Amino acid sequence: MELSTVWFLLIALLFVGYFVLEGFDFGVGMLLPVLGRDERERRVMINTIGPVWDGNEVWLITAGGAMFAAFPEWYASVFSGFYLPLLLILLALILRGVAFEYRGKRNDPVWRRRWDRCIVFGSFVPAVLWGVAFANIVRGVPLDADHDYIGGFFTLLNPYALLGGLTTLALFLTHGAVFIALKTVGDIRQRANRLAERLGIAAVLAAALFLGLTLARRATTPALILAVLAALCLVGGLIANRLPSRDDPQGRREGWAFAGTAAAIALAVASLFADLYPFVLPSTVDPVTNSLTVANASSTPYTLKIMTWVAVIFTPLVLLYQGWTYWVFRKRIGTQHIPEELVTPQPATR
């Protein structure tokens, strides 16, 4: 296997990890005002992702860096043609990160509500626009002979791409609701379970329509297999979410449910990359001449060789560290774990 293909697979793996991990904390952020009925419950929801949300974003940074080094033409065409959507995603992620850090700086309900809105907005925008961006990458965009994007912003907002955004939105909301149920106890856990059922129906319908249209355009056997497996995992996760837990009569099998939604997102993203290969960015102007492929968009073999050795050495270390982080913070939390002084406004002092 050529190194350019190896790096295409590695970039696909990085985006799979990013959407699975960042997907549930996007979902938690969007559901903050829905499931968090008071400040204590909102603190519980934020604390479920507090130790991991910034680490999840490392997957995106690494994927972008790998694209830049391994496929510079792909990186240049995507980041110039998709400049405005990617800028909006970046600004939303910055606003979201600032909101996580600043909402607890003042013990004031109005202050917290404003930052909570920033968390919702900063989670919603990437959840939609990542689906729009990847749908356009798979569908193809207008590229000229120099591989430059010649469309406009509204060219990217075609019906197929908007359906992709709706699909990622529904999947992340479902994934987030299941994660909240997995990580909490008490009333918020039960409400998250019930909400995951309703959101899951929308996610199944949107994902089935989007993947069906994708495969109808240019179906490959690996992409078809992965899409079917993604659908089965999503349905299986939703079924597990309805089954009573053996250990806790008050709960359900959230662990299996979360594994199902995580596998569904991973397989769906993998299906898109399988459908895309050997292209990295198809051209709708002249698919044969103007499209970017794994072969014509890659760096030199020497560059890919050096990158491969670096990845072999450091990737296992990063995975071990992030796995250790999730293990340390694996326990459930509830409102009883939030101190009273963190949720009760304090009187002003002179």
Side-chain angles (χ1 to χ4, degrees):
M1 183 182 295
E2 294 184 359
L3 287 179
S4 57
T5 301
V6 171
W7 275 96
F8 177 82
L9 294 174
L10 287 175
I11 290 171
L13 179 62
L14 289 169
F15 275 111
V16 165
Y18 174 69
F19 282 119
V20 169
L21 298 177
E22 193 83 306
F24 70 73
D25 65 48
F26 282 155
V28 173
M30 289 185 287
L31 293 174
L32 189 62
V34 178
L35 290 175
R37 293 181 174 176
D38 54 33
E39 174 59 22
R40 183 171 265 111
E41 289 188 347
R42 288 190 287 273
R43 285 296 298 260
V44 168
M45 292 177 63
I46 292 174
N47 286 356
T48 62
I49 60 174
V52 298
W53 70 266
D54 49 353
N56 294 341
E57 292 183 353
V58 173
W59 289 78
L60 174 62
I61 297 170
T62 308
M67 285 179 62
F68 173 77
F71 299 98
E73 285 211 58
W74 184 18
Y75 178 92
S77 296
V78 168
F79 278 74
S80 60
F82 294 27
Y83 179 80
L84 184 55
L86 293 177
L87 177 62
L88 292 175
I89 290 174
L90 178 61
L91 293 176
L93 292 176
I94 293 173
L95 181 64
R96 181 172 174 265
V98 172
F100 280 134
E101 298 295 333
Y102 272 78
R103 78 176 302 276
K105 296 296 184 182
R106 289 174 57 183
N107 202 347
D108 176 42
V110 176
W111 170 272
R112 288 171 174 168
R113 281 198 300 270
R114 289 171 179 170
W115 287 116
D116 287 345
R117 295 189 191 103
C118 294
I119 292 174
V120 174
F121 177 81
S123 302
F124 173 81
V125 171
V128 173
L129 291 185
W130 277 126
V132 172
F134 268 84
N136 277 295
I137 290 174
V138 174
R139 173 181 177 268
V141 295
L143 297 177
D144 62 18
D146 295 323
H147 301 145
D148 292 329
Y149 178 74
I150 56 175
F153 173 71
F154 291 101
T155 305
L156 303 175
L157 301 181
N158 54 81
Y160 174 76
L162 293 176
L163 177 60
L166 180 63
T167 301
T168 51
L169 176 65
L171 285 173
F172 291 167
L173 283 169
T174 305
H175 198 35
V178 172
F179 180 78
I180 295 169
L182 175 66
K183 290 287 293 178
T184 59
V185 294
D187 186 51
I188 190 172
R189 175 186 181 185
Q190 297 175 9
R191 281 187 275 119
N193 273 321
R194 293 193 295 269
L195 181 61
E197 292 180 11
R198 299 192 294 270
L199 292 172
I201 296 173
V204 168
L205 294 175
L209 180 58
F210 176 70
L211 290 177
L213 290 175
T214 302
L215 296 174
R217 293 176 57 85
R218 186 179 61 249
T220 63
T221 301
L224 178 60
I225 294 173
L226 291 170
V228 171
L229 290 175
L232 292 175
C233 287
L234 181 56
V235 173
L238 296 177
I239 292 174
N241 186 62
R242 293 181 60 88
L243 297 176
S245 172
R246 294 178 179 178
D247 303 324
D248 183 1
Q250 298 278 323
R252 306 182 189 181
R253 299 187 183 181
E254 292 99 349
W256 285 108
F258 182 75
T261 55
I265 293 173
L267 291 167
V269 176
S271 174
L272 295 180
F273 275 94
D275 186 72
L276 185 61
Y277 185 82
F279 297 99
V280 292
L281 189 60
S283 172
T284 56
V285 176
D286 188 344
V288 177
T289 305
N290 296 0
S291 294
L292 284 171
T293 67
V294 170
N296 67 20
S298 66
S299 295
T300 63
Y302 183 70
T303 300
L304 295 178
K305 184 177 180 180
I306 294 176
M307 290 175 56
T308 302
W309 280 110
V310 173
V312 167
I313 295 171
F314 289 103
T315 300
L317 298 177
V318 174
L319 293 177
L320 286 173
Y321 173 75
Q322 189 158 29
W324 174 78
T325 303
Y326 276 90
W327 175 256
V328 169
F329 296 101
R330 67 189 182 277
K331 293 185 178 180
R332 295 177 182 269
I333 60 173
T335 54
Q336 67 272 21
H337 298 113
I338 307 299
E340 180 67 24
E341 62 268 18
L342 295 181
V343 297
T344 303
Q346 301 298 315
T349 58
R350 292 186 181 271

